[in-house]
């Protein structure tokens, strides 16, 4: 995200409009309060977007599995193809409202078969999946796709959260 975009999204008027719109989506799609927080108030999202934008080379497809309403993939400035995949139809419908330059599909890991993937993103939802199951899915994805970069979040302390599992990148990616 560039400086102008950060300024725009942090302005009070835009913040009010975004919060109102997110509350409308909360009612329409049954989102919880956390899902309605603007991305600027989720401290991991903007740095993640910046890092992805800095490291993607272009030419391939950026894919986010478990994209929710598209907060991450929908805000990445990328001239190539961006695809968000989520298991909930409601999330896919909502994501289409927020991001017009991203393709959103209903699906799961099994639907990740794009050949060349510039960046594969998996955030939050993976902590509800055991390490063994997630490693199995990663092996399948990596066996049928050429993936240049994998981005996922690491939680070291899940106590007091809804998450069951922490993950280790070396284990998930086989070293």
């Amino acid at each position: 995200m560039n400086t102008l975009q950060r300024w725009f999204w942090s302005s009070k008027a835009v913040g009010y409009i975004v919060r109102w719109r997110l509350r409308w989506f909360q009612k329409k799609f049954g989102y919880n309060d956390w899902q309605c927080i603007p991305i600027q108030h989720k401290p991991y999202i903007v740095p993640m977007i910046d890092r992805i934008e800095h490291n993607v080379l272009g030419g391939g497809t950026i894919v986010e599995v478990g994209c929710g309403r598209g907060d991450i993939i929908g805000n990445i400035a990328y001239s190539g193809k961006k695809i968000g995949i989520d298991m909930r139809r409601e999330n896919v419908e909502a994501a289409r409202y927020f991001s017009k330059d991203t393709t959103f599909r209903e699906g799961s890991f099994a639907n990740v078969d794009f050949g060349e993937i510039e960046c594969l993103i998996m955030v939050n939802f993976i902590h509800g999946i055991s390490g063994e199951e997630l490693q199995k899915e990663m092996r399948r994805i990596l066996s049928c796709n050429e993936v240049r970069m994998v981005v996922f979040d690491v939680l070291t302390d899940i106590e007091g959260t809804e998450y069951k599992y922490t993950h280790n990148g070396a284990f998930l990616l086989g070293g």
Side-chain angles (χ1 to χ4, degrees):
M1 234 181 241
N2 66 38
T3 306
L4 181 60
Q5 287 172 316
R6 278 196 187 87
W7 170 83
F8 175 79
W9 286 110
S10 64
S11 74
K12 288 184 180 181
V14 170
Y16 176 77
I17 293 167
V18 168
R19 281 189 294 280
W20 177 84
R21 192 173 184 194
L22 290 172
R23 292 294 174 210
W24 180 80
F25 277 97
Q26 184 176 30
K27 290 177 185 172
K28 181 173 175 68
F29 297 109
Y31 286 153
N32 63 35
D33 287 342
W34 179 85
Q35 291 168 307
C36 290
I37 297 171
I39 66 169
Q40 298 74 19
H41 301 286
K42 294 178 183 177
Y44 63 94
I45 291 182
V46 173
M48 185 181 299
I49 290 169
D50 288 344
R51 178 158 251 158
I52 291 168
E53 288 176 348
H54 180 75
N55 287 292
V56 293
L57 298 175
T61 302
I62 295 178
V63 177
E64 182 179 8
V65 180
C67 67
R69 62 166 213 256
D71 284 344
I72 296 171
I73 195 160
N75 285 289
I76 296 172
Y78 184 65
S79 60
K81 193 173 192 176
K82 300 187 305 180
I83 300 172
I85 301 171
D86 199 278
M87 293 179 71
R88 291 187 63 215
R89 181 178 25 86
E90 296 85 0
N91 285 344
V92 172
E93 288 177 30
R96 289 178 180 147
Y97 281 99
F98 284 99
S99 180
K100 301 297 183 193
D101 69 340
T102 304
T103 301
F104 292 98
R105 300 178 181 172
E106 191 175 343
S108 65
F109 288 117
N111 302 99
V112 180
D113 191 8
F114 300 103
E116 184 180 333
I117 297 175
E118 185 71 19
C119 180
L120 175 64
I121 306 164
M122 301 176 301
V123 178
N124 290 332
F125 81 96
I126 63 172
H127 302 292
I129 302 171
S130 73
E132 293 74 21
E133 183 63 28
L134 190 55
Q135 183 188 53
K136 179 180 134 191
E137 295 295 347
M138 286 304 305
R139 283 185 180 155
R140 191 203 62 75
I141 289 170
L142 295 174
S143 72
C144 63
N145 296 279
E146 183 180 326
V147 180
R148 182 177 167 273
M149 179 169 62
V150 177
V151 175
F152 57 92
D153 58 336
V154 176
L155 298 176
T156 54
D157 182 13
I158 58 174
E159 189 174 325
T161 71
E162 65 187 82
Y163 300 121
K164 294 180 181 181
Y165 306 100
T166 60
H167 295 295
N168 175 296
F171 173 76
L172 293 178
L173 301 172

